[in-house]
Amino acid sequence: MKAKLGVSALILLFLAGVWLIAAPFAVGYQPRGALYADATVNDLWVGGALAGLSFVALVIYAADALRELAGRGKHVADS
């Protein structure tokens, strides 16, 4: 149960980061062709960091889960 909650939280954080990256352009407070506003730069940096860190955490979690499954399979084959 804890693992599902943690993975769900990481997925939500990743989606929030992606939304922060897309928001200035989707909502329209960044005019097309203009220099980036301070709010746009902030959204890009914070969203990129949030999406990047949560993605790395998801990859680490998946690698750990695969390693655990491989270890279980090895023990079953030895029996």
Side-chain angles (χ1 to χ4, degrees):
M1 178 68 179
K2 289 181 184 179
K4 287 182 182 179
L5 184 61
V7 170
S8 298
L10 286 173
I11 290 171
L12 285 175
L13 285 172
F14 177 75
L15 292 175
V18 170
W19 170 249
L20 281 174
I21 293 169
F25 311 103
V27 175
Y29 63 82
Q30 174 57 48
R32 182 173 290 186
L35 292 176
Y36 281 175
D38 289 340
T40 301
V41 173
N42 184 50
D43 279 358
L44 292 175
W45 278 106
V46 172
L50 190 62
L53 288 174
S54 59
F55 181 76
V56 168
L58 280 168
V59 169
I60 290 170
Y61 176 80
D64 186 51
L66 285 174
R67 185 179 55 204
E68 184 179 330
L69 284 174
R72 285 182 187 175
K74 186 181 275 188
H75 293 300
V76 170
D78 292 340
S79 297

